[in-house]
Amino acid sequence: MSEQGKLSRQEAGQRGGQARAEQLGHEGYVEMGRKGGQARAEQLGHEGYQEMGQKGGQARAEQLGTEGYQEMGQKGGQKRAEQLGHEGYQEMGQKGGQTRADQLGTEGYQEMGQKGGQTRAEQLGHEGYVQMGKMGGEARKQQMSPEDYAAMGQKGGLARQQ
């Protein structure tokens, strides 16, 4: 409270928001936020809403710091995976990867992948990284026909010789 015993505008807003959250309960409050977000998106348009989200994300990252922001992202990713199921989450990742590839171009996307691979190798150590590669190879083998898998291996072998 301010020195005069009156609530500041911010304090009054916080109290009002808390009271409304208690009235609606968690699900109702989430629904209210979803509707408000939709209305705001319609006002700003796709690009304006995207820009607003980026600014908010930057501000939140500064508040939480690197580790806190990463933890928040992991929790959000886990929640979204539960909502979409394995196939839906996989499809979302593929769409996001394609969008990012389009933004960066081939060379930029390859550079991003190399940096991510280096970081992951540092996190897991050599043995963990080798194990992850084997698991990825086995998963890919199950997705492909034997002929396509063999052709992929030959192509990879040729690339390593160069």
Side-chain angles (χ1 to χ4, degrees), residues 97-146:
Q98 186 59 55
T99 298
R100 194 65 177 136
D102 293 345
Q103 291 170 342
L104 296 176
T106 302
E107 289 180 20
Y109 195 67
Q110 287 175 343
E111 182 181 334
M112 182 185 75
Q114 289 171 349
K115 287 180 181 179
Q118 289 171 349
T119 299
R120 194 67 177 134
E122 291 168 7
Q123 291 170 339
L124 296 174
H126 178 74
E127 292 298 320
Y129 195 67
V130 168
Q131 182 65 26
M132 184 185 75
K134 288 179 182 178
M135 290 171 59
E138 287 300 317
R140 190 70 177 128
K141 187 176 184 178
Q142 291 174 3
Q143 294 171 342
M144 301 175 79
S145 71

Short mmCIF file of all heavy atoms in Angstrom, two decimals, residues 97-146:
data_model
loop_
_atom_site.label_atom_id
_atom_site.label_comp_id
_atom_site.label_asym_id
_atom_site.label_seq_id
_atom_site.Cartn_x
_atom_site.Cartn_y
_atom_site.Cartn_z
N GLY A 97 10.24 -27.55 -37.03
CA GLY A 97 11.55 -27.72 -37.65
C GLY A 97 11.57 -27.23 -39.08
O GLY A 97 12.53 -26.58 -39.52
N GLN A 98 10.51 -27.51 -39.82
CA GLN A 98 10.43 -27.05 -41.21
C GLN A 98 10.35 -25.53 -41.28
O GLN A 98 11.00 -24.90 -42.11
CB GLN A 98 9.23 -27.67 -41.92
CG GLN A 98 9.16 -27.34 -43.40
CD GLN A 98 10.39 -27.80 -44.16
OE1 GLN A 98 10.76 -28.96 -44.11
NE2 GLN A 98 11.05 -26.88 -44.85
N THR A 99 9.58 -24.93 -40.37
CA THR A 99 9.48 -23.47 -40.34
C THR A 99 10.85 -22.86 -40.05
O THR A 99 11.25 -21.89 -40.70
CB THR A 99 8.46 -23.03 -39.26
OG1 THR A 99 7.19 -23.56 -39.61
CG2 THR A 99 8.39 -21.51 -39.15
N ARG A 100 11.56 -23.44 -39.08
CA ARG A 100 12.89 -22.91 -38.73
C ARG A 100 13.87 -23.10 -39.87
O ARG A 100 14.68 -22.21 -40.14
CB ARG A 100 13.39 -23.60 -37.45
CG ARG A 100 14.57 -22.90 -36.83
CD ARG A 100 14.18 -21.50 -36.33
NE ARG A 100 15.31 -20.89 -35.68
CZ ARG A 100 15.67 -19.62 -35.88
NH1 ARG A 100 14.96 -18.84 -36.63
NH2 ARG A 100 16.73 -19.14 -35.27
N ALA A 101 13.80 -24.23 -40.56
CA ALA A 101 14.66 -24.47 -41.71
C ALA A 101 14.40 -23.45 -42.81
O ALA A 101 15.33 -22.94 -43.44
CB ALA A 101 14.46 -25.89 -42.24
N ASP A 102 13.14 -23.13 -43.03
CA ASP A 102 12.78 -22.13 -44.03
C ASP A 102 13.33 -20.75 -43.65
O ASP A 102 13.78 -19.99 -44.51
CB ASP A 102 11.26 -22.05 -44.20
CG ASP A 102 10.66 -23.31 -44.81
OD1 ASP A 102 11.42 -24.13 -45.37
OD2 ASP A 102 9.42 -23.46 -44.72
N GLN A 103 13.31 -20.44 -42.36
CA GLN A 103 13.81 -19.15 -41.89
C GLN A 103 15.32 -19.03 -42.03
O GLN A 103 15.84 -17.99 -42.42
CB GLN A 103 13.44 -18.94 -40.41
CG GLN A 103 11.97 -18.74 -40.15
CD GLN A 103 11.63 -18.80 -38.67
OE1 GLN A 103 12.39 -19.29 -37.85
NE2 GLN A 103 10.46 -18.28 -38.32
N LEU A 104 16.04 -20.11 -41.70
CA LEU A 104 17.50 -20.06 -41.65
C LEU A 104 18.17 -20.42 -42.97
O LEU A 104 19.33 -20.08 -43.18
CB LEU A 104 18.02 -21.01 -40.57
CG LEU A 104 17.64 -20.70 -39.14
CD1 LEU A 104 18.14 -21.79 -38.21
CD2 LEU A 104 18.17 -19.34 -38.71
N GLY A 105 17.47 -21.14 -43.82
CA GLY A 105 18.10 -21.66 -45.04
C GLY A 105 18.90 -22.91 -44.71
O GLY A 105 19.14 -23.24 -43.53
N THR A 106 19.35 -23.60 -45.73
CA THR A 106 20.04 -24.89 -45.54
C THR A 106 21.28 -24.75 -44.67
O THR A 106 21.46 -25.48 -43.70
CB THR A 106 20.41 -25.50 -46.91
OG1 THR A 106 19.20 -25.66 -47.66
CG2 THR A 106 21.07 -26.86 -46.73
N GLU A 107 22.17 -23.81 -45.02
CA GLU A 107 23.42 -23.67 -44.28
C GLU A 107 23.18 -23.27 -42.82
O GLU A 107 23.79 -23.80 -41.90
CB GLU A 107 24.33 -22.66 -44.96
CG GLU A 107 24.90 -23.17 -46.27
CD GLU A 107 25.81 -22.15 -46.94
OE1 GLU A 107 26.30 -21.22 -46.26
OE2 GLU A 107 26.02 -22.27 -48.16
N GLY A 108 22.27 -22.32 -42.60
CA GLY A 108 21.97 -21.89 -41.23
C GLY A 108 21.37 -23.01 -40.40
O GLY A 108 21.68 -23.15 -39.21
N TYR A 109 20.50 -23.80 -41.03
CA TYR A 109 19.86 -24.90 -40.31
C TYR A 109 20.88 -25.98 -39.96
O TYR A 109 20.87 -26.53 -38.87
CB TYR A 109 18.71 -25.47 -41.15
CG TYR A 109 17.76 -26.35 -40.37
CD1 TYR A 109 16.96 -25.82 -39.38
CD2 TYR A 109 17.67 -27.71 -40.64
CE1 TYR A 109 16.07 -26.61 -38.67
CE2 TYR A 109 16.79 -28.51 -39.94
CZ TYR A 109 15.99 -27.96 -38.96
OH TYR A 109 15.11 -28.76 -38.26
N GLN A 110 21.80 -26.27 -40.89
CA GLN A 110 22.85 -27.25 -40.61
C GLN A 110 23.76 -26.76 -39.49
O GLN A 110 24.14 -27.54 -38.61
CB GLN A 110 23.67 -27.52 -41.88
CG GLN A 110 22.92 -28.35 -42.90
CD GLN A 110 23.70 -28.51 -44.20
OE1 GLN A 110 24.62 -27.76 -44.49
NE2 GLN A 110 23.29 -29.49 -45.00
N GLU A 111 24.10 -25.47 -39.52
CA GLU A 111 24.94 -24.90 -38.46
C GLU A 111 24.25 -25.01 -37.10
O GLU A 111 24.87 -25.37 -36.10
CB GLU A 111 25.26 -23.45 -38.77
CG GLU A 111 26.18 -22.79 -37.76
CD GLU A 111 26.47 -21.34 -38.09
OE1 GLU A 111 26.40 -20.96 -39.27
OE2 GLU A 111 26.76 -20.58 -37.14
N MET A 112 22.95 -24.72 -37.08
CA MET A 112 22.19 -24.83 -35.83
C MET A 112 22.22 -26.27 -35.32
O MET A 112 22.41 -26.53 -34.14
CB MET A 112 20.75 -24.38 -36.04
CG MET A 112 19.91 -24.42 -34.76
SD MET A 112 18.17 -24.03 -35.04
CE MET A 112 17.60 -25.55 -35.80
N GLY A 113 22.04 -27.23 -36.22
CA GLY A 113 22.08 -28.64 -35.84
C GLY A 113 23.43 -29.07 -35.31
O GLY A 113 23.52 -29.82 -34.33
N GLN A 114 24.49 -28.58 -35.93
CA GLN A 114 25.84 -28.92 -35.46
C GLN A 114 26.10 -28.36 -34.06
O GLN A 114 26.64 -29.05 -33.20
CB GLN A 114 26.89 -28.42 -36.45
CG GLN A 114 26.90 -29.21 -37.74
CD GLN A 114 27.76 -28.60 -38.81
OE1 GLN A 114 28.22 -27.46 -38.69
NE2 GLN A 114 27.97 -29.35 -39.89
N LYS A 115 25.67 -27.12 -33.84
CA LYS A 115 25.84 -26.51 -32.51
C LYS A 115 25.03 -27.28 -31.46
O LYS A 115 25.51 -27.53 -30.35
CB LYS A 115 25.41 -25.05 -32.53
CG LYS A 115 26.37 -24.14 -33.24
CD LYS A 115 25.87 -22.70 -33.21
CE LYS A 115 26.80 -21.77 -33.93
NZ LYS A 115 26.29 -20.37 -33.92
N GLY A 116 23.80 -27.65 -31.82
CA GLY A 116 22.97 -28.42 -30.89
C GLY A 116 23.57 -29.78 -30.60
O GLY A 116 23.56 -30.26 -29.46
N GLY A 117 24.14 -30.42 -31.62
CA GLY A 117 24.79 -31.71 -31.43
C GLY A 117 26.01 -31.61 -30.53
O GLY A 117 26.23 -32.46 -29.67
N GLN A 118 26.78 -30.55 -30.70
CA GLN A 118 27.96 -30.34 -29.85
C GLN A 118 27.54 -30.14 -28.39
O GLN A 118 28.14 -30.70 -27.47
CB GLN A 118 28.76 -29.14 -30.34
CG GLN A 118 29.49 -29.40 -31.64
CD GLN A 118 30.10 -28.13 -32.22
OE1 GLN A 118 29.82 -27.02 -31.77
NE2 GLN A 118 30.93 -28.30 -33.25
N THR A 119 26.51 -29.33 -28.21
CA THR A 119 26.03 -29.08 -26.84
C THR A 119 25.54 -30.37 -26.20
O THR A 119 25.84 -30.67 -25.04
CB THR A 119 24.89 -28.03 -26.86
OG1 THR A 119 25.41 -26.82 -27.40
CG2 THR A 119 24.33 -27.80 -25.48
N ARG A 120 24.78 -31.16 -26.97
CA ARG A 120 24.25 -32.42 -26.44
C ARG A 120 25.38 -33.39 -26.13
O ARG A 120 25.33 -34.09 -25.11
CB ARG A 120 23.26 -33.03 -27.45
CG ARG A 120 22.42 -34.11 -26.87
CD ARG A 120 21.47 -33.55 -25.81
NE ARG A 120 20.63 -34.61 -25.33
CZ ARG A 120 20.37 -34.83 -24.05
NH1 ARG A 120 20.84 -34.03 -23.13
NH2 ARG A 120 19.60 -35.82 -23.68
N ALA A 121 26.40 -33.44 -26.96
CA ALA A 121 27.55 -34.31 -26.71
C ALA A 121 28.25 -33.91 -25.42
O ALA A 121 28.66 -34.78 -24.63
CB ALA A 121 28.52 -34.26 -27.89
N GLU A 122 28.37 -32.61 -25.18
CA GLU A 122 29.00 -32.13 -23.94
C GLU A 122 28.16 -32.51 -22.73
O GLU A 122 28.68 -32.87 -21.68
CB GLU A 122 29.20 -30.62 -24.01
CG GLU A 122 30.24 -30.20 -25.02
CD GLU A 122 30.24 -28.70 -25.30
OE1 GLU A 122 29.52 -27.94 -24.60
OE2 GLU A 122 30.96 -28.29 -26.24
N GLN A 123 26.84 -32.44 -22.87
CA GLN A 123 25.95 -32.77 -21.76
C GLN A 123 26.01 -34.25 -21.41
O GLN A 123 26.02 -34.63 -20.24
CB GLN A 123 24.50 -32.40 -22.10
CG GLN A 123 24.23 -30.93 -22.20
CD GLN A 123 22.86 -30.62 -22.77
OE1 GLN A 123 22.24 -31.44 -23.45
NE2 GLN A 123 22.37 -29.42 -22.50
N LEU A 124 26.03 -35.11 -22.44
CA LEU A 124 25.94 -36.56 -22.23
C LEU A 124 27.30 -37.23 -22.02
O LEU A 124 27.35 -38.33 -21.49
CB LEU A 124 25.25 -37.22 -23.43
CG LEU A 124 23.81 -36.84 -23.68
CD1 LEU A 124 23.32 -37.47 -24.98
CD2 LEU A 124 22.92 -37.28 -22.53
N GLY A 125 28.35 -36.60 -22.48
CA GLY A 125 29.65 -37.26 -22.48
C GLY A 125 29.71 -38.23 -23.66
O GLY A 125 28.70 -38.54 -24.29
N HIS A 126 30.92 -38.73 -23.94
CA HIS A 126 31.11 -39.57 -25.12
C HIS A 126 30.23 -40.81 -25.11
O HIS A 126 29.53 -41.11 -26.09
CB HIS A 126 32.58 -39.97 -25.26
CG HIS A 126 32.84 -40.86 -26.43
ND1 HIS A 126 32.83 -40.39 -27.73
CD2 HIS A 126 33.08 -42.19 -26.51
CE1 HIS A 126 33.05 -41.40 -28.55
NE2 HIS A 126 33.22 -42.50 -27.84
N GLU A 127 30.24 -41.55 -24.03
CA GLU A 127 29.48 -42.81 -23.97
C GLU A 127 27.97 -42.56 -24.12
O GLU A 127 27.28 -43.28 -24.84
CB GLU A 127 29.75 -43.55 -22.66
CG GLU A 127 31.17 -44.09 -22.54
CD GLU A 127 31.50 -45.11 -23.62
OE1 GLU A 127 30.63 -45.94 -23.96
OE2 GLU A 127 32.63 -45.06 -24.14
N GLY A 128 27.48 -41.56 -23.45
CA GLY A 128 26.05 -41.23 -23.55
C GLY A 128 25.66 -40.80 -24.94
O GLY A 128 24.59 -41.14 -25.44
N TYR A 129 26.55 -40.06 -25.59
CA TYR A 129 26.28 -39.57 -26.94
C TYR A 129 26.26 -40.73 -27.94
O TYR A 129 25.41 -40.80 -28.82
CB TYR A 129 27.31 -38.52 -27.34
CG TYR A 129 26.92 -37.71 -28.54
CD1 TYR A 129 25.84 -36.84 -28.49
CD2 TYR A 129 27.64 -37.79 -29.72
CE1 TYR A 129 25.47 -36.08 -29.60
CE2 TYR A 129 27.29 -37.04 -30.83
CZ TYR A 129 26.21 -36.17 -30.76
OH TYR A 129 25.85 -35.42 -31.86
N VAL A 130 27.21 -41.66 -27.78
CA VAL A 130 27.25 -42.86 -28.64
C VAL A 130 25.96 -43.66 -28.45
O VAL A 130 25.34 -44.11 -29.42
CB VAL A 130 28.50 -43.71 -28.35
CG1 VAL A 130 28.41 -45.08 -29.01
CG2 VAL A 130 29.76 -42.98 -28.80
N GLN A 131 25.53 -43.84 -27.20
CA GLN A 131 24.31 -44.59 -26.90
C GLN A 131 23.09 -43.91 -27.52
O GLN A 131 22.23 -44.57 -28.10
CB GLN A 131 24.12 -44.73 -25.38
CG GLN A 131 22.92 -45.52 -24.98
CD GLN A 131 23.01 -46.98 -25.41
OE1 GLN A 131 24.08 -47.53 -25.57
NE2 GLN A 131 21.87 -47.61 -25.60
N MET A 132 23.02 -42.60 -27.42
CA MET A 132 21.91 -41.86 -28.01
C MET A 132 21.90 -42.06 -29.54
O MET A 132 20.85 -42.24 -30.15
CB MET A 132 22.01 -40.37 -27.70
CG MET A 132 20.83 -39.55 -28.21
SD MET A 132 21.01 -37.77 -27.95
CE MET A 132 22.21 -37.37 -29.22
N GLY A 133 23.07 -42.03 -30.16
CA GLY A 133 23.16 -42.25 -31.61
C GLY A 133 22.68 -43.62 -32.02
O GLY A 133 21.97 -43.78 -33.02
N LYS A 134 23.02 -44.64 -31.23
CA LYS A 134 22.57 -46.00 -31.52
C LYS A 134 21.05 -46.11 -31.41
O LYS A 134 20.40 -46.72 -32.26
CB LYS A 134 23.24 -47.01 -30.57
CG LYS A 134 24.70 -47.22 -30.87
CD LYS A 134 25.32 -48.21 -29.87
CE LYS A 134 26.80 -48.38 -30.14
NZ LYS A 134 27.44 -49.27 -29.17
N MET A 135 20.51 -45.49 -30.37
CA MET A 135 19.05 -45.53 -30.20
C MET A 135 18.35 -44.80 -31.35
O MET A 135 17.33 -45.27 -31.86
CB MET A 135 18.67 -44.89 -28.86
CG MET A 135 19.08 -45.73 -27.66
SD MET A 135 18.88 -44.88 -26.07
CE MET A 135 17.15 -44.50 -26.08
N GLY A 136 18.92 -43.67 -31.76
CA GLY A 136 18.34 -42.93 -32.89
C GLY A 136 18.42 -43.72 -34.18
O GLY A 136 17.48 -43.74 -34.98
N GLY A 137 19.54 -44.41 -34.38
CA GLY A 137 19.69 -45.23 -35.57
C GLY A 137 18.69 -46.38 -35.61
O GLY A 137 18.12 -46.68 -36.65
N GLU A 138 18.49 -47.01 -34.47
CA GLU A 138 17.51 -48.11 -34.40
C GLU A 138 16.09 -47.61 -34.66
O GLU A 138 15.31 -48.24 -35.37
CB GLU A 138 17.58 -48.81 -33.04
CG GLU A 138 18.81 -49.69 -32.87
CD GLU A 138 18.88 -50.80 -33.91
OE1 GLU A 138 17.84 -51.45 -34.19
OE2 GLU A 138 19.97 -51.02 -34.46
N ALA A 139 15.77 -46.45 -34.11
CA ALA A 139 14.43 -45.88 -34.33
C ALA A 139 14.24 -45.54 -35.81
O ALA A 139 13.18 -45.82 -36.39
CB ALA A 139 14.24 -44.62 -33.47
N ARG A 140 15.28 -44.99 -36.43
CA ARG A 140 15.19 -44.64 -37.85
C ARG A 140 15.07 -45.90 -38.71
O ARG A 140 14.34 -45.92 -39.69
CB ARG A 140 16.43 -43.82 -38.25
CG ARG A 140 16.32 -43.21 -39.60
CD ARG A 140 15.28 -42.08 -39.59
NE ARG A 140 15.25 -41.46 -40.89
CZ ARG A 140 14.15 -41.28 -41.60
NH1 ARG A 140 12.98 -41.63 -41.12
NH2 ARG A 140 14.18 -40.73 -42.77
N LYS A 141 15.78 -46.94 -38.31
CA LYS A 141 15.75 -48.21 -39.06
C LYS A 141 14.33 -48.78 -39.07
O LYS A 141 13.88 -49.33 -40.09
CB LYS A 141 16.71 -49.20 -38.41
CG LYS A 141 16.91 -50.49 -39.16
CD LYS A 141 17.97 -51.34 -38.47
CE LYS A 141 18.26 -52.60 -39.25
NZ LYS A 141 19.32 -53.39 -38.59
N GLN A 142 13.61 -48.64 -37.97
CA GLN A 142 12.24 -49.15 -37.88
C GLN A 142 11.28 -48.33 -38.74
O GLN A 142 10.26 -48.84 -39.20
CB GLN A 142 11.77 -49.16 -36.43
CG GLN A 142 12.49 -50.19 -35.58
CD GLN A 142 12.11 -50.09 -34.11
OE1 GLN A 142 11.27 -49.30 -33.73
NE2 GLN A 142 12.75 -50.91 -33.29
N GLN A 143 11.60 -47.07 -38.97
CA GLN A 143 10.74 -46.20 -39.76
C GLN A 143 10.90 -46.41 -41.26
O GLN A 143 10.00 -46.09 -42.03
CB GLN A 143 11.05 -44.72 -39.45
CG GLN A 143 10.71 -44.31 -38.04
CD GLN A 143 11.22 -42.91 -37.73
OE1 GLN A 143 12.09 -42.38 -38.41
NE2 GLN A 143 10.69 -42.31 -36.67
N MET A 144 12.05 -46.94 -41.67
CA MET A 144 12.38 -47.01 -43.10
C MET A 144 12.35 -48.45 -43.60
O MET A 144 12.48 -49.40 -42.83
CB MET A 144 13.78 -46.44 -43.34
CG MET A 144 13.95 -45.00 -42.90
SD MET A 144 15.64 -44.41 -43.07
CE MET A 144 15.70 -44.09 -44.82
N SER A 145 12.23 -48.57 -44.91
CA SER A 145 12.35 -49.89 -45.52
C SER A 145 13.82 -50.30 -45.47
O SER A 145 14.71 -49.44 -45.40
CB SER A 145 11.87 -49.86 -46.98
OG SER A 145 12.81 -49.15 -47.78
N PRO A 146 14.11 -51.61 -45.51
CA PRO A 146 15.51 -52.06 -45.48
C PRO A 146 16.34 -51.44 -46.63
O PRO A 146 17.49 -51.07 -46.42
CB PRO A 146 15.41 -53.57 -45.62
CG PRO A 146 14.06 -53.91 -45.09
CD PRO A 146 13.19 -52.74 -45.46
#
